[in-house]
Amino acid sequence: MTRDLALTSVLLVPFLGVIGTLLLPERLRRPFSFLVTTLVLAAVGALAVSLRDAFRYEISGWGAPLGIDLHVDGLAVAMLLLTGTVAGAVSAYADGHYRDGSSQKPAAGFWPLFFGLWGSLNALFLVSDLFTMYVCLELMTFSSVALITLAKDAQALRAALTYLMTALTGSLAYLLGVAILYGEMGTLDWTLMSPVPGDDPVAWMALSLMTAGLIMKGALYPLHFWLPGAHAIAPAPVSALLSALVVKAPFFILLRLWVQVWTDAPYASHVLGALGAGAIIWGSFQAIIQERVKLMVAYSTVAQLGYLFLAFPILETAARTADQAARQDAWEGVIYFALSHGVAKASMFLVTGLVVQATKTDDLRSLRGAAAHVPAAVLVWGLAGISLIGLPPSGGFIAKWQLLTSAIRFGLWPYAAVILFGGLLASGYVFRVLWYAFLAPDGSSAPKARVPAVMVLAALFLGTVIVLMGIRTADVFAVLKAGSPFPTVGAP
Amino acid sequence: MSGMDAVSSSALILGGFFFLAGTVGLLRFRDVHSRLHALSKTDNLGLGLISAGLILRAGSFPAGAKILIIWLLALLASAVTCYVIAEWETNHERQDRNL
Amino acid sequence: MRDRIEIYDVLLVVTLIGAAWRALFGKDAFSATVFFIVYGLLMAMAWVQLDAIDVALAEACVGAGLTGALLIGAVRQFERAPGARALRRTMGLRASIGALSLLALAGLTASLFEIENRRSPVPPLVERSLGDSGSAHPVTAMLLNFRAFDTWLEIGVLLIASLAAISIHRLYDPSPIEGRASTAPTRPRLQIQSQTQPWIMARTLLPLLILVGGAMLWFGSHAPGGAFQSGALIGAAGILLQIAGGRSALRLSSLRTRSLLSLGFSSFWLMAAGALLAGGRILEYPPASAGAAILALEAAATLSIALTLNVMYACSRPWGPEP
């Protein structure tokens, strides 16, 4: 009973937030947003704590394949936790950002879009129906595009338009794939279609189309061209949402498709793995040479997404071994990487926003002496950097460790080498910023503006989560055991 | 009913011929006003003939009435757009001449 | 489903491809837009051939009608913008994109021929459950009962899109270079030039459009029709009024506009929450009152969709309303 209540709240309350922040007068908007955020976080927490096994929920009372079902398992709840954590921090940050006097009008536009984004992400992670996932992707895309344009800059409009065109092309390819798949399998529910036979050419056509579309939306190298522009120009809270959450949604769908629906794809997964390796190397190099911090963080996202795509060959090989613990380790490592990257990247963008708030620019050279002026920001950047490089104690370390050991265990030496090398490259751009931050401030720098405390607290909260993820991993791993495709206890 | 069929078919074919004539005028006439003249007259008459042909074939009175209303609406739209285009073209020519 | 290919189908496909070609490679933006509208109408006829009447109605109203109006407005602004030039792509890039597209097309066509023989379990399920669904038309039952969650999210997409249009309109003022200083503060909101042709057409068509839109909403329960189609028609009525009036009567940021825009989305939310409180699943209708529930939701959605289309058109005009 409470489980169903928590589940439905996770779905419904963000959309109530959309309606409320759209219609309520100015002075009621803040407490209402706070209330909605708290309710959703509580619901997600309740769901995570009470999850034992995967379960389904029929929306509208008609079950699949006639209606739409929700499939709640460990992966879904983990993504919900990520979304809740990042969205909660960003909402606190945005509250401070938009109350700072200068930008009253965009505040009215921010909140409905923010809750629309959150709601669409929650729905996407929960539904079991491929077409509903498409609609959620569309809702997510439109909210993101509108959020990017809140930057009030002609460049932002251009970047948002590029993002929109790319995302729509990707959505179209995905929809075409879903349509073909429906014609072939007779149902839209991925749990009912699996496992898809590996020798079915029509199904392969559908999978290729869907993968192509989702790669475009998920900014996998070499189709990442829209990401740096869009993520760098957007306001800081928006960039945090985009890099941490929006690019994870297509990856989530791909994970479901490649691991849980098409269980028999030996060679194709290596294509994705190769592209992922390219993303890591190319993205990291690009990040190191940037002169603006926001662009640096955006290219870092491109690089880190490459790690996620290394998951496909690793999990594919994992599915063939008999070692149950090893398989579950690989699965957990992949998901934990998505989670820790989300938190780390969001905190990096919030930090950048703090710096921009204080010094009005995100140029690297103007970071001189930042450690003295905004020490909390530099601290959080350091913690996020630790997670991205893969040093303990952070979630990133655990995730990379599991990925690395899985790669070595299954004999995938090239990928293991890329993972190690990527960590080294990440330290390049992380330490570049820290270098400038710890330089003694020169006397000529302009007086720094005051930064609202709630923004700093939001960033510190995410920093704490990064460290907690390195310490309390067993709790998250327990959640991930529910409904895992690699069950460890007497699988049927 | 073969008499009705013959009448209806000839109306349809005649309507098609008028449309063809109008399109030839659209492609061959040199300025906007002549093209509008060709299109509006022949297209409306053509549509009227085709509607008449279809009404004869329609199974019931409501279906026939709907086809008649469609023809009237098309007439309205065609007349209005014809005038709008002609007016804009005239003003444009006047401006060009004044320059 | 027709199982022979007739001459009409071949002609339709050929003209479709021709119109699409001219739309993509037309000699200027305006002719491309006109051919795009033609393509939309031909596409509607193709949908009729495939027995998808609801889709044909929606395509004709929204795909050809509204999108055409928006594109023409955009083309006019594009022509005013100084220094606007076409994007030049290298021959090599074009050739490789062309080759990839042909490859994809070949693969798609092959798979389309392969999947003709599959049988889906869904149509018999729909047949069996149609009686309890509250609608006699399978498409409406599917959209508003079996897969109502999808429809709710799609209405959400429309809401977010309209909010985006309003937000961009307010933040990025697209008024022409002369600026908006020329508008006198005492100008009436809706300025109808009563002898002009557009007003004559609007005056005649307005009641007709509203009537047919309402009828379409009612028909949706047992025939092709429903919220999207009737919303598109009523929206078209509003757009005609805007074209005739030269200015928009909408005040984009008023509470009334915002509540009407979100009416569809909110109604679905209330229905979902209500079903939960009554002890069922989200958006589960009791079979006895399912018909009434569907009609109520469709009516709310119609109003929202109509206003969304009007807002989109209003935001695309450079001499738009004051915020």
Side-chain angles (χ1 to χ4, degrees):
Chain A
M1 176 55 213
T2 47
R3 187 187 69 178
D4 278 359
L5 183 63
L7 183 62
T8 49
S9 309
V10 167
L11 265 188
L12 290 183
V13 177
F15 291 134
L16 179 64
V18 175
I19 303 168
T21 51
L22 187 59
L23 298 178
L24 285 176
E26 191 70 43
R27 64 185 190 283
L28 286 179
R29 213 175 279 157
R30 277 189 78 222
F32 181 74
S33 313
F34 179 71
L35 184 64
V36 169
T37 310
T38 320
L39 279 176
V40 181
L41 288 176
V44 171
L47 200 58
V49 163
S50 67
L51 186 70
R52 295 280 163 267
D53 289 306
F55 67 96
R56 294 176 74 85
Y57 180 92
E58 295 105 17
I59 298 183
S60 298
W62 313 94
L66 184 62
I68 302 170
D69 277 359
L70 300 177
H71 181 85
V72 188
D73 64 355
L75 173 59
V77 174
M79 299 305 285
L80 285 178
L81 280 171
L82 171 67
T83 311
T85 313
V86 172
V90 167
S91 72
Y93 182 93
D95 185 64
H97 182 97
Y98 284 118
R99 277 210 332 147
D100 206 36
S102 57
S103 42
Q104 274 305 319
K105 272 198 177 168
F110 175 82
W111 291 105
L113 297 170
F114 168 76
F115 283 118
L117 185 60
W118 195 353
S120 66
L121 284 168
N122 282 357
L124 196 149
F125 294 135
L126 285 173
V127 294
S128 172
D129 186 285
L130 290 175
F131 180 75
T132 314
M133 285 181 185
Y134 164 76
V135 184
C136 294
L137 280 176
E138 291 293 278
L139 191 54
M140 188 188 79
T141 303
F142 277 98
S143 309
S144 315
V145 168
L147 282 169
I148 293 176
T149 61
L150 289 180
K152 248 183 152 164
D153 187 339
Q155 283 276 65
L157 208 52
R158 207 169 301 150
L161 204 58
T162 311
Y163 176 32
L164 184 63
M165 293 297 148
T166 319
L168 285 181
T169 313
S171 298
L172 201 60
Y174 176 77
L175 188 59
L176 204 48
V178 170
I180 293 179
L181 199 58
Y182 178 66
E184 180 74 357
M185 308 302 290
T187 174
L188 286 169
D189 191 297
W190 65 263
T191 52
L192 291 178
M193 317 184 183
S194 89
V196 175
D199 54 354
D200 191 347
V202 178
W204 271 112
M205 184 78 216
L207 180 64
S208 324
L209 277 172
M210 291 164 80
T211 307
L214 290 171
I215 287 178
M216 212 169 209
K217 295 184 81 98
L220 176 66
Y221 175 86
L223 292 173
H224 65 282
F225 52 87
W226 57 268
L227 192 145
H231 289 204
I233 200 97
V238 173
S239 302
L241 288 171
L242 290 178
S243 263
L245 302 176
V246 169
V247 288
K248 298 291 181 327
F251 170 72
F252 169 83
I253 304 179
L254 278 173
L255 201 60
R256 289 266 196 232
L257 287 176
W258 281 81
V259 177
Q260 296 185 282
V261 182
W262 268 264
T263 50
D264 191 21
Y267 303 112
S269 57
H270 286 284
V271 173
L272 288 177
L275 289 178
I280 296 177
I281 298 178
W282 195 89
S284 302
F285 270 120
Q286 286 290 88
I288 294 177
I289 64 175
Q290 291 303 320
E291 291 301 327
R292 285 181 53 205
V293 183
K294 280 193 113 168
L295 273 176
M296 183 189 275
V297 182
Y299 275 107
S300 162
T301 304
V302 173
Q304 298 287 319
L305 287 174
Y307 282 99
L308 289 178
F309 281 88
L310 287 183
F312 293 109
I314 293 178
L315 287 172
E316 183 56 41
T317 325
R320 291 172 200 292
T321 61
D323 185 351
Q324 291 179 334
R327 288 189 330 216
Q328 182 67 6
D329 271 354
W331 177 249
E332 286 167 357
V334 167
I335 301 174
Y336 214 62
F337 192 91
L339 298 183
S340 53
H341 170 253
V343 179
K345 200 40 67 69
S347 58
M348 272 188 158
F349 269 116
L350 290 189
V351 161
T352 317
L354 285 176
V355 168
V356 168
Q357 183 88 354
T359 62
K360 296 291 172 259
T361 171
D362 71 334
D363 193 79
L364 202 53
R365 319 236 171 257
S366 70
L367 281 178
R368 283 184 80 102
H373 291 286
V374 276
V378 178
L379 170 66
V380 176
W381 176 276
L383 288 174
I386 285 174
S387 186
L388 287 184
I389 300 170
L391 300 169
S394 66
F397 165 69
I398 306 279
K400 265 201 169 167
W401 179 256
Q402 299 222 198
L403 277 179
L404 196 55
T405 50
S406 302
I408 294 177
R409 203 178 277 162
F410 302 132
L412 298 166
W413 299 102
Y415 296 127
V418 167
I419 294 175
L420 285 173
F421 189 48
L424 196 60
L425 289 175
S427 63
Y429 52 82
V430 168
F431 285 123
R432 239 187 126 203
V433 168
L434 287 176
W435 166 262
Y436 277 104
F438 279 105
L439 285 177
D442 49 3
S444 62
S445 44
K448 308 283 190 267
R450 198 189 68 85
V451 175
V454 67
M455 290 162 74
V456 177
L457 283 175
L460 278 174
F461 167 69
L462 283 182
T464 321
V465 172
I466 294 175
V467 175
L468 276 178
M469 283 181 79
I471 301 174
R472 309 271 319 183
T473 39
D475 300 332
V476 182
F477 281 9
V479 169
L480 288 178
K481 288 217 181 345
S484 159
F486 308 114
T488 49
V489 188
Chain B
M1 288 294 275
S2 135
M4 280 287 234
D5 272 352
V7 170
S8 143
S9 306
S10 42
L12 287 172
I13 294 175
L14 202 57
F17 168 71
F18 272 105
F19 268 106
L20 189 64
T23 312
V24 169
L26 173 66
L27 293 173
R28 299 285 296 177
F29 284 159
R30 230 161 293 169
D31 67 295
V32 176
H33 292 292
S34 328
R35 284 187 221 146
L36 278 176
H37 193 86
L39 267 185
S40 59
K41 292 205 161 40
T42 58
D43 275 8
N44 290 337
L45 189 52
L47 192 61
L49 283 168
I50 291 182
S51 309
L54 287 176
I55 289 176
L56 288 175
R57 282 177 191 262
S60 59
F61 179 68
K66 281 183 206 166
I67 296 176
L68 187 64
I69 294 178
I70 290 175
W71 180 53
L72 291 173
L73 285 174
L75 273 184
L76 175 68
S78 164
V80 168
T81 48
C82 174
Y83 266 98
V84 170
I85 296 176
E87 197 176 322
W88 189 84
E89 184 64 24
T90 314
N91 293 338
H92 209 63
E93 279 174 6
R94 209 172 289 145
Q95 281 178 10
D96 282 346
R97 244 179 275 134
N98 284 344
L99 284 171
Chain C
M1 191 62 198
R2 295 144 180 76
D3 34 301
R4 287 188 308 131
I5 297 183
E6 308 191 352
I7 301 199
Y8 174 66
D9 296 320
V10 175
L11 279 177
L12 195 54
V13 169
V14 169
T15 22
L16 260 177
I17 296 179
W21 183 270
R22 287 300 295 265
L24 287 174
F25 303 112
K27 54 179 166 62
D28 60 69
F30 182 70
S31 80
T33 308
V34 171
F35 274 106
F36 177 78
I37 300 177
V38 170
Y39 171 83
L41 289 174
L42 289 171
M43 201 63 203
M45 294 169 68
W47 289 123
V48 172
Q49 286 299 93
L50 292 170
D51 275 337
I53 314 283
D54 304 73
V55 186
L57 285 171
E59 173 81 35
C61 296
V62 177
L66 173 80
T67 317
L70 288 177
L71 277 177
I72 289 186
V75 164
R76 288 187 62 191
Q77 288 193 51
F78 182 68
E79 282 168 355
R80 286 180 201 201
R85 64 201 186 287
L87 207 54
R88 286 265 141 252
R89 294 215 181 281
T90 61
M91 199 56 213
L93 191 61
R94 279 170 147 183
S96 44
I97 293 179
L100 275 173
S101 310
L102 279 176
L103 202 64
L105 188 63
L108 273 174
T109 323
S111 41
L112 282 176
F113 277 109
E114 282 287 309
I115 63 175
E116 267 189 68
N117 308 318
R118 305 289 168 158
R119 289 276 162 265
S120 160
V122 178
L125 275 173
V126 172
E127 286 289 323
R128 225 183 310 149
S129 322
L130 202 55
D132 287 331
S133 65
S135 161
H137 185 51
V139 174
T140 308
M142 195 56 135
L143 278 180
L144 284 163
N145 194 340
F146 306 140
R147 300 184 66 103
F149 191 64
D150 274 346
T151 311
W152 183 27
L153 290 179
E154 280 157 16
I155 294 182
V157 173
L158 279 178
L159 176 63
I160 297 286
S162 63
L163 292 181
I166 296 176
S167 153
I168 294 177
H169 184 84
R170 272 200 301 199
L171 293 177
Y172 300 86
D173 183 21
S175 53
I177 302 153
E178 304 92 65
R180 292 206 290 220
S182 54
T183 56
T186 54
R187 211 182 206 187
R189 292 225 141 253
L190 190 64
Q191 192 195 41
I192 308 249
Q193 295 122 19
S194 43
Q195 293 311 311
T196 58
Q197 303 297 330
W199 170 237
I200 294 175
M201 182 152 81
R203 190 181 62 188
T204 318
L205 288 179
L206 210 64
L208 197 61
L209 278 172
I210 296 180
L211 199 62
V212 175
M216 198 81 87
L217 179 63
W218 182 253
F219 286 159
S221 61
H222 57 272
F228 285 98
Q229 291 79 0
S230 73
L233 279 177
I234 299 180
I239 292 177
L240 262 182
L241 206 57
Q242 287 189 42
I243 294 178
R247 286 179 61 78
S248 165
L250 287 174
R251 289 195 57 226
L252 289 177
S253 64
S254 71
L255 183 63
R256 190 172 53 174
T257 308
R258 279 180 287 147
S259 359
L260 265 180
L261 275 178
S262 57
L263 187 64
F265 191 69
S266 317
S267 314
F268 271 93
W269 194 92
L270 286 171
M271 190 68 74
L276 268 184
L277 287 174
R281 306 291 200 181
I282 299 180
L283 288 176
E284 183 176 10
Y285 317 138
S289 43
I294 289 181
L295 195 59
L297 286 175
E298 288 213 288
T302 303
L303 291 173
S304 286
I305 293 169
L307 191 60
T308 302
L309 298 183
N310 273 281
V311 161
M312 298 244 177
Y313 187 73
C315 288
S316 76
R317 285 152 72 95
W319 56 87
E322 302 99 30

